[in-house]
Amino acid sequence: MANLKEIRNRISSVQSTMQITSAMKMVSAAKLKKAQDAITAMRPYAEKLTEILQSLSASMEGEVGGAFTAQREVKKVLIVAITSNRGLCGAFNTNVIKQVKVLIDSYEGKQVDVFAIGKKGNDVLSKTSTVIANKSEVFDALTFDNVSTISTLLTEKFISGEYDKIEIVYNQFKNAATQIVQTEQFLPLAPVVGAAIVNSDYIFEPTKEEIVLTLIPKSLKTQLYKAIRDSFASEHGARMTAMHKATDNATALRNQLKLTYNKARQAAITNEILEIVGGAEALNK
């Protein structure tokens, strides 16, 4: 059995860990509320805008919208992996990285590159795949304008023919304890399944071409911004849950160590009493 000093040191170490994990849990909980409100507010708008413009662009196959809907033979694929810059958030980053690797394997025989958003994904994927860029700094100031720059870059890579398909892999926020790994096709725009294509009975103001040229790029920016916002909220939810479990585990370990300490202390006191009694008996003889 470990001596009393070693047990005391372990108890002190566990208590320090508890304070850290508890503080991190509270910080993540505070950040989660703001991030959750942001993604909840913008998600309906982003999804509806994407759905409408996918339907509109599908009705313009071969026209202006063809640049965004062009279905080319897939030879080069770009996967946008959205992870976090920091760890201590359970399987949050691992799940995205695993999904990216599965996606890469599914494109066997094709050129597949990775566009990383987040340091954790970049650090791991760069060891096994070709990472053409890492935009982890976007989390330092998560604004629509900063994300728009990334979206424009990705769009240019598709339109120029540098890549035939671009997909996004990220964690979708469901609640603080649940994040769902999603794979979304960014480009080319795919028609919504079961959605009615816009017909010629509608009068467009301005023209259909102007609507496509203006709103489709905005829709793509919104889609990417939503994905990053989803991932950001999911990160704080995952970290809050992970730190809550870590705090509970540390509490249980501390209680166990205290019990062990008390038993060891009781045993030491009992031994001292027996030694004193034994010494007194020896003197009496």
Side-chain angles (χ1 to χ4, degrees):
M1 182 180 291
N3 60 45
L4 295 177
K5 184 177 179 180
E6 290 176 349
I7 298 175
R8 281 200 303 269
N9 289 339
R10 288 191 64 189
I11 292 174
S12 177
S13 176
V14 171
Q15 286 178 331
S16 297
T17 302
M18 280 177 56
Q19 291 176 348
I20 295 171
T21 56
S22 180
M24 291 184 68
K25 172 190 171 183
M26 289 187 290
V27 170
S28 292
K31 291 182 177 180
L32 173 62
K33 181 63 171 65
K34 184 177 180 180
Q36 182 178 352
D37 290 344
I39 186 58
T40 302
M42 77 164 295
R43 187 179 287 164
Y45 166 78
E47 292 176 351
K48 193 62 180 178
L49 178 62
T50 300
E51 178 184 331
I52 292 172
L53 290 180
Q54 282 177 334
S55 179
L56 176 62
S57 61
S59 71
M60 299 179 63
E61 192 73 35
E63 299 179 41
V64 178
F68 301 97
T69 61
Q71 299 289 337
R72 302 189 289 263
E73 182 183 354
V74 179
K75 295 180 180 179
K76 298 179 180 179
V77 181
L78 182 62
I79 300 174
V80 181
I82 304 176
T83 55
S84 67
N85 288 342
R86 299 178 179 85
L88 298 177
C89 47
F92 173 82
N93 293 310
T94 304
N95 290 339
V96 171
I97 292 169
K98 285 181 179 178
Q99 181 61 26
V100 169
K101 290 181 177 179
V102 169
L103 206 55
I104 291 174
D105 292 340
S106 69
Y107 289 109
E108 186 177 358
K110 306 181 189 303
Q111 178 185 328
V112 184
D113 296 335
V114 176
F115 190 103
I117 299 178
K119 292 179 182 178
K120 291 300 179 179
N122 177 68
D123 292 345
V124 176
L125 293 170
S126 59
K127 297 177 182 177
T128 57
S129 307
T130 302
V131 178
I132 64 169
N134 175 28
K135 297 293 184 179
S136 58
E137 68 276 5
V138 72
F139 290 110
D140 297 334
L142 187 50
T143 63
F144 185 79
D145 290 338
N146 289 339
V147 175
S148 295
T149 304
I150 301 175
S151 176
T152 301
L153 177 62
L154 294 174
T155 303
E156 289 173 353
K157 288 182 178 297
F158 174 78
I159 294 177
S160 66
E162 186 176 348
Y163 292 99
D164 303 310
K165 190 176 184 180
I166 300 178
E167 294 191 278
I168 305 174
V169 181
Y170 67 99
N171 278 295
Q172 184 183 65
F173 179 81
K174 184 177 180 181
N175 54 52
T178 306
Q179 300 82 39
I180 304 170
V181 178
Q182 294 285 350
T183 302
E184 290 182 0
Q185 183 169 309
F186 187 69
L187 285 167
L189 288 176
V192 179
V193 178
I197 295 177
V198 177
N199 57 56
S200 57
D201 291 338
Y202 287 95
I203 298 174
F204 293 94
E205 181 64 35
T207 65
K208 188 185 294 187
E209 290 78 6
E210 289 180 87
I211 293 175
V212 170
L213 285 173
T214 303
L215 293 187
I216 282 186
K218 182 178 180 180
S219 172
L220 293 172
K221 293 173 183 178
T222 303
Q223 180 185 358
L224 182 61
Y225 185 58
K226 179 187 75 69
I228 295 177
R229 271 288 178 191
D230 251 319
S231 180
F232 189 64
S234 297
E235 175 193 349
H236 290 303
R239 183 172 291 112
M240 186 184 76
T241 302
M243 291 302 98
H244 176 73
K245 291 180 179 178
T247 302
D248 288 347
N249 291 339
T251 302
L253 180 58
R254 181 198 61 182
N255 294 339
Q256 182 181 353
L257 286 171
K258 282 186 175 181
L259 182 60
T260 302
Y261 175 81
N262 290 335
K263 288 181 178 180
R265 184 167 175 270
Q266 186 178 17
I269 293 173
T270 302
N271 287 334
E272 289 177 3
I273 293 174
L274 290 175
E275 289 175 0
I276 293 173
V277 171
E281 289 293 332
L283 289 175
N284 290 334
K285 292 179 181 179

